[in-house]
Amino acid sequence: IPRLTRVIAIVATIWLTWLAGAWRDRAGDRIFSQVLYLIGTLAFGAGIALVGQMYHLSGDTASAALVWTAGAMLGAALMRSPIVSATSAGVGILYLTAALTDSSFHGSWFLLIAPLLAAAIFALSHWNGSRMGKHGAVWLLLATLVCHRFSNFSADISQLDYLFAFGGAALFVVISFTEDAIEQIIDFAHPLLAYVLALSFFGFTVLQIGYGHDKSSTAMLGLIVLALSVGALLLKGRDHGGVRALAYTAFGAEILYLASETIGSLLGTSAFFLLSGLIVMVIAWLMIRIEKRIKAQAREGAAS
């Protein structure tokens, strides 16, 4: 197949799928129109790769992914397509991954470009009503923060670790008490709780690894993690499955870590496990009691 014919076929595929998607969208089809938009977006990315290969254009995967992300975002804005907004977030993560493995054209600029992409995709997804796009934008931002931590610092402790740990915990508390107000603004406060809590646990994990040689600091950080887990359960554990899963996982992992690092005797380890188990049982009992009381009040209100 001649090169020109292949280029025409690529361009025709992109335009035909987008025009057909717009036609179905105007007809009120909310499923097939999005499928056509998605096919057109994927064809755009495939076209970048094929044209670069045919004409031996200089570049790398990260550059191609960046152009693909920009094109997907433009299409999502023009057609106000939720699925294309989510696709742009996925391609943005591809850009970050490619920039990590091949930095010949990007250097460390991707650590600045990726957060800007995440913010733009989140705003675009909010405008399009794409909840999956918002999740993808937050994942892109968190992944960039982690990459920034390990690209610019060694395995030793850095100021970013403290920022992640304590800043994430502070954000969790703030969002917990202002969830309704934030929800009215960005319509994403509920999932955001789990993300900032995960960021906080990540920061504490890196700090504990860095302080591994100091048992007193390790124990102190461990107690903070246990307190954060318990506080998260008390604040949002009842009505947030993601927070509940993170808190229980962090609590259990921290118990095992502290037992292996700070407690030497078998008797001391057993007592530590017993006390931790009793604490979790009390928390679970309190949550069950609170939930039963709320349900009882809801039934009484419905009956009246």
Side-chain angles (χ1 to χ4, degrees):
I1 302 175
R3 289 180 177 179
L4 182 60
T5 304
R6 282 181 275 178
V7 172
I8 293 174
I10 292 169
V11 175
T13 301
I14 296 170
W15 276 100
L16 287 175
T17 51
W18 277 87
L19 290 174
W23 168 62
R24 293 308 307 158
D25 200 359
R26 289 178 61 86
D29 187 343
R30 294 291 179 260
I31 298 177
F32 196 55
S33 62
Q34 301 301 312
V35 173
L36 289 168
Y37 288 151
L38 178 60
I39 293 174
T41 305
L42 297 178
F44 176 66
I48 294 174
L50 186 57
V51 170
Q53 182 187 39
M54 285 191 304
Y55 293 97
H56 306 288
L57 300 178
S58 62
D60 58 1
T61 305
S63 300
L66 185 60
V67 174
W68 189 6
T69 305
M73 292 173 63
L74 178 62
L78 291 175
M79 299 302 180
R80 202 162 186 174
S81 170
I83 194 168
V84 179
S85 296
T87 305
S88 66
V91 182
I93 294 174
L94 172 64
Y95 161 73
L96 178 63
T97 305
L100 284 171
T101 56
D102 185 0
S103 58
S104 57
F105 283 83
H106 295 263
S108 60
W109 279 99
F110 70 94
L111 295 173
L112 176 62
I113 295 173
L116 295 177
L117 281 179
I121 292 170
F122 190 93
L124 179 63
S125 299
H126 180 69
W127 183 62
N128 286 344
S130 176
R131 202 162 184 82
M132 189 180 299
K134 291 181 181 180
H135 280 285
V138 175
W139 274 105
L140 175 58
L141 178 60
L142 292 179
T144 307
L145 291 175
V146 174
C147 292
H148 181 63
R149 163 63 181 85
F150 291 110
S151 296
N152 292 278
F153 303 97
S154 64
D156 296 332
I157 297 170
S158 73
Q159 298 299 322
L160 270 181
D161 301 331
Y162 290 99
L163 180 62
F164 291 160
F166 294 98
L171 278 176
F172 177 82
V173 174
V174 171
I175 297 173
S176 296
F177 286 104
T178 60
E179 183 177 355
D180 294 337
I182 296 176
E183 189 72 20
Q184 292 178 357
I185 299 173
I186 63 173
D187 191 29
F188 200 70
H190 196 67
L192 202 58
L193 283 166
Y195 285 123
V196 296
L197 185 62
L199 181 64
S200 178
F201 284 140
F202 167 76
F204 280 114
T205 299
V206 179
L207 283 175
Q208 283 193 303
I209 293 174
Y211 280 113
H213 60 280
D214 186 352
K215 288 191 176 183
S216 60
S217 298
T218 299
M220 181 61 67
L221 288 169
L223 291 176
I224 296 175
V225 171
L226 295 178
L228 178 60
S229 303
V230 173
L233 287 172
L234 292 176
L235 282 175
K236 290 296 176 180
R238 185 187 65 83
D239 53 1
H240 198 304
V243 169
R244 190 163 57 247
L246 280 171
Y248 278 126
T249 302
F251 191 94
E254 191 62 39
I255 291 296
L256 293 174
Y257 181 75
L258 288 177
S260 63
E261 292 292 327
T262 62
I263 302 175
S265 66
L266 181 61
L267 181 60
T269 303
S270 302
F272 188 71
F273 275 112
L274 177 60
L275 179 60
S276 303
L278 291 174
I279 293 174
V280 174
M281 288 174 60
V282 170
I283 295 171
W285 179 79
L286 287 174
M287 291 177 61
I288 292 172
R289 295 289 297 177
I290 293 172
E291 188 172 357
K292 286 183 178 179
R293 180 171 295 183
I294 292 174
K295 288 182 178 179
Q297 291 176 352
R299 284 195 298 267
E300 289 176 1
S304 61

